[in-house]
Amino acid sequence: MKRYSDYMDEITPDELYKGLLKKGMFTEKLPPIFTSESFYEYCKSCSKGARQKWSGKSDWIPYTSIRNNGLPRLLGIPSPFAYERLCQCLASNWLEIQKIFQENTINDSYKVSQTHIRKITGTEMLFEMNYKNWQLDSSPENELRIGARYVVETDISTCFPSIYTHALPWAVYGKKEVKEMMVNKTLKNSWPDKLDKACRDTTNGETHGVLIGPHASNVLSELLLTKIDAELRKEKQNWKFVRYIDDYHCYVQTYSEGKIFLSRLDRILRNYDLQLNYKKTKIMELPQYEKSFWTNTIGLYKELLLNRTYLDYKTVENYLSHIIHCLNENPEDAAIINYGLKVLVNTIHRDGVRVSMNARNYIIGTMEYLSCIYIYLIPLMEKFLFEFFSVGVSQIQNFANQIYATEAGVGSAEAKTYAFYYALKYGFSLNSTITFDKIIESNDCVLKLMAYLYFRRENICSYADQLLVQVRAMDQSDREKNWVYVYEVLDESELKDNRWKELKKRKISFLYDEFQIKS
């Protein structure tokens, strides 16, 4: 099996820069209208000196996405100029970073970190959250649990927002050594010091926190966390643990050994200004742990489905009823529905499997109903439902009207954002009885941009004009926090920064062509 450093060594500095900037600037949780491809091509044409003038701190766009447990997660869209400087810094020092990764993982007998950047067949993207390729990736937990009686599950409390950027040099040189270098003034302008600054520049100069969403953040976190893994390994060479970004699973023989693992991990984390999330920390006796009940039972249904070449209404109804039953048993985990839907879609995708029209309609109707309750599911609907089952525009229109009207607490902004996205993507109008007054009052940048694009297309001038007046009245600070909205809406003459003016002059857009504002 490939080692961690093998994955890193496969990536060249140019491929890293391209993957992070061209394909990794906008989080996949956003409606898929955003792209940094033309900006990447523009950056390639700029001289090094021209790009160096982009240095300096910039604010970022917050975007709230609903997680499977119904709670909000604050994601970030960085300023393109600050993010380019971060990507450039990572690429320029990639050979040094590769050495650090090798040093941190050289003594590992298996790959501890399971979720990290890598080359992915068929795409220039370097990171996928749910990457699975068992021919390349080992499944170490199957072997680690042999001889174990307990498993420890824990994670780092608010990991990305808590990362201390000054800890990046600590991970390279050591905390004590960095302090001595600061006294001797030998740290300044070293590559870890430059990386620290480039990271801070993406968050308006803040020393705590890296943005959740941009793929460069995953490189930064791995630089720190592989060092923490290595220090944990030094504490006890035979700790049997794996890490999924910031989630740890450790297999131990006794309960007290599990407590020792947590104590040592917590002490090391605190040395880097991080701490354990004790609310999500568990020490569980094996073998009951194996898999969650709902994963097992859905897996049994999967085996039954795989033996069928025809899915009728009754079969599908029973399957989805079981999914909902599992959800009722675990009401805070909508990932159950996501998993169940993917199992069903993958089963139908097999050659020769037919689905009755009644079964198809039942799947679509049930998923639309559940999505209005669980906002987490809405971003999944297009790929796994509308495109897969060739759902008609009128039915998507009805769904968009439903999710726009839903008032699911903190989820309503994301639901409305996707309602506008579907209207723009499939070319229909939202219900004429819908009121848009709350859009004008909203502070959500992405929602307002989607609404403005929709109002322009539909010639709803009263609302479009109100949004335009608001944008023009923004001060510099607010413009930075809404940069993609401001940039796409205003003309070149209305942009105050020469960097943005130059982009506009070159007709660079951060929207895919079908969503761009045409003169």
Side-chain angles (χ1 to χ4, degrees):
M1 291 292 179
K2 293 170 67 173
R3 301 173 66 89
Y4 183 91
S5 58
D6 294 333
Y7 285 95
M8 301 300 139
D9 291 346
E10 286 179 344
I11 303 169
T12 68
D14 287 344
E15 289 170 336
L16 183 77
Y17 178 77
K18 186 176 188 178
L20 297 183
L21 182 58
K22 184 178 180 180
K23 295 293 184 178
M25 186 171 127
F26 293 102
T27 172
E28 293 80 11
K29 295 293 184 180
L30 288 165
I33 74 168
F34 298 101
T35 175
S36 53
E37 293 186 12
S38 62
F39 178 69
Y40 164 76
E41 296 298 334
Y42 168 70
C43 293
K44 279 182 29 180
S45 69
C46 289
S47 66
K48 183 178 180 180
R51 284 186 279 112
Q52 284 177 336
K53 293 179 182 178
W54 299 347
S55 62
K57 64 183 182 180
S58 299
D59 219 328
W60 51 280
I61 298 170
Y63 178 75
T64 300
S65 179
I66 303 302
R67 294 182 285 186
N68 61 298
N69 59 6
L71 297 176
R73 171 180 281 132
L74 186 62
L75 307 175
I77 307 172
S79 158
F81 302 110
Y83 186 68
E84 191 280 335
R85 299 307 299 150
L86 175 58
C87 294
Q88 185 62 244
C89 187
L90 287 167
S92 298
N93 299 290
W94 183 236
L95 298 181
E96 294 296 328
I97 295 171
Q98 286 173 323
K99 291 178 185 177
I100 299 299
F101 284 140
Q102 186 175 36
E103 291 171 5
N104 289 343
T105 60
I106 194 168
N107 294 321
D108 294 345
S109 57
Y110 59 90
K111 189 159 66 70
V112 172
S113 175
Q114 297 294 295
T115 310
H116 51 76
I117 66 163
R118 66 184 77 204
K119 280 192 172 182
I120 302 173
T121 303
T123 179
E124 296 166 323
M125 188 181 295
L126 294 176
F127 182 78
E128 286 183 1
M129 182 64 74
N130 298 312
Y131 181 87
K132 296 289 183 186
N133 187 333
W134 301 116
Q135 293 178 326
L136 295 177
D137 273 346
S138 60
S139 180
E141 290 193 74
N142 289 330
E143 296 180 5
L144 296 181
R145 66 186 178 184
I146 296 175
R149 291 299 307 277
Y150 294 87
V151 62
V152 182
E153 279 191 359
T154 189
D155 69 13
I156 300 172
S157 181
T158 58
C159 181
F160 279 33
S162 298
I163 288 177
Y164 185 45
T165 64
H166 292 340
L168 296 171
W170 299 351
V172 177
Y173 297 126
K175 188 174 183 178
K176 180 180 177 181
E177 289 76 7
V178 166
K179 291 185 176 181
E180 291 176 354
M181 293 172 74
M182 291 175 68
V183 172
N184 299 328
K185 298 182 178 180
T186 54
L187 179 66
K188 191 173 178 60
N189 292 325
S190 65
W191 73 262
D193 183 57
K194 291 178 180 178
L195 184 59
D196 175 4
K197 184 181 184 307
C199 183
R200 283 183 278 123
D201 284 348
T202 63
T203 57
N204 205 26
E206 294 292 332
T207 56
H208 276 91
V210 298
L211 301 181
I212 301 175
H215 293 176
S217 295
N218 297 94
V219 182
L220 298 169
S221 66
E222 284 293 288
L223 185 62
L224 187 57
L225 295 179
T226 55
K227 178 64 174 180
I228 290 170
D229 294 343
E231 291 191 17
L232 186 58
R233 184 75 74 191
K234 284 182 182 178
E235 293 268 345
K236 182 178 177 181
Q237 185 61 35
N238 63 341
W239 281 127
K240 300 193 296 184
F241 70 95
V242 292
R243 176 173 54 79
Y244 300 87
I245 303 186
D246 65 331
D247 292 327
Y248 283 85
H249 295 177
C250 181
Y251 294 86
V252 295
Q253 293 181 328
T254 66
Y255 188 89
S256 61
E257 189 181 4
K259 293 182 71 174
I260 293 171
F261 172 80
L262 290 170
S263 175
R264 293 182 176 177
L265 175 57
D266 187 50
R267 176 166 50 79
I268 295 170
L269 289 173
R270 288 181 185 276
N271 286 336
Y272 292 91
D273 275 19
L274 297 170
Q275 58 184 318
L276 286 180
N277 182 356
Y278 280 100
K279 290 182 178 180
K280 292 186 178 180
T281 296
K282 296 177 286 187
I283 303 177
M284 295 175 288
E285 190 173 4
L286 294 170
Q288 288 89 343
Y289 166 74
E290 298 288 335
K291 283 185 178 180
S292 57
F293 175 76
W294 62 264
T295 306
N296 280 328
T297 58
I298 294 175
L300 292 175
Y301 264 92
K302 178 181 178 180
E303 295 303 316
L304 294 173
L305 293 175
L306 288 174
N307 292 325
R308 294 177 176 270
T309 58
Y310 180 73
L311 298 182
D312 58 13
Y313 176 89
K314 197 65 180 176
T315 301
V316 167
E317 182 188 36
N318 288 338
Y319 175 74
L320 291 179
S321 294
H322 178 69
I323 300 298
I324 294 173
H325 173 73
C326 290
L327 181 63
N328 289 336
E329 294 291 318
N330 303 268
E332 295 183 355
D333 192 0
I336 295 169
I337 310 172
N338 178 17
Y339 180 76
L341 176 62
K342 289 179 180 179
V343 166
L344 186 60
V345 166
N346 289 334
T347 300
I348 296 171
H349 190 68
R350 290 182 298 121
D351 291 339
V353 177
R354 295 180 297 115
V355 184
S356 75
M357 183 59 67
N358 286 338
R360 170 190 176 277
N361 292 339
Y362 186 77
I363 294 169
I364 296 169
T366 301
M367 288 307 303
E368 288 180 345
Y369 157 71
L370 291 172
S371 294
C372 289
I373 300 173
Y374 301 99
I375 305 302
Y376 161 78
L377 298 172
I378 291 176
L380 308 172
M381 296 292 283
E382 182 171 32
K383 179 179 179 181
F384 293 104
L385 203 75
F386 300 152
E387 292 180 354
F388 187 82
F389 289 105
S390 301
V391 175
V393 171
S394 62
Q395 190 162 357
I396 300 174
Q397 182 178 18
N398 290 336
F399 175 68
N401 284 316
Q402 289 172 2
I403 62 174
Y404 187 93
T406 190
E407 291 294 338
V410 293
S412 57
E414 188 173 22
K416 287 177 172 60
T417 298
Y418 269 88
F420 283 122
Y421 164 70
Y422 289 132
L424 290 166
K425 174 70 181 289
Y426 295 97
F428 56 74
S429 300
L430 294 172
N431 197 313
S432 59
T433 62
I434 285 176
T435 176
F436 299 115
D437 292 336
K438 289 186 178 180
I439 302 296
I440 306 300
E441 301 167 7
S442 171
N443 291 320
D444 191 298
C445 167
V446 176
L447 175 60
K448 283 194 169 185
L449 174 59
M450 301 292 289
Y452 181 80
L453 297 175
Y454 175 78
F455 296 151
R456 278 285 302 264
R457 192 198 68 183
E458 294 291 306
N459 290 318
I460 307 176
C461 299
S462 59
Y463 286 111
D465 290 345
Q466 287 183 66
L467 288 173
L468 198 54
V469 168
Q470 284 185 339
V471 170
R472 287 169 174 161
M474 286 181 182
D475 59 23
Q476 185 57 33
S477 175
D478 284 337
R479 286 193 173 202
E480 284 191 358
K481 295 174 185 175
N482 293 272
W483 68 262
V484 71
Y485 174 36
V486 173
Y487 176 76
E488 295 294 341
V489 166
L490 296 183
D491 296 327
E492 179 187 337
S493 61
E494 297 177 292
L495 298 171
K496 299 176 182 179
D497 189 315
N498 288 331
R499 298 174 302 175
W500 295 111
K501 287 178 177 289
E502 183 64 21
L503 289 187
K504 206 75 171 185
K505 184 186 297 183
R506 292 175 177 263
K507 301 187 184 305
I508 306 298
S509 177
F510 293 92
L511 304 176
Y512 284 109
D513 186 69
E514 63 185 297
F515 299 102
Q516 291 176 22
I517 299 171
K518 305 298 182 182
S519 301

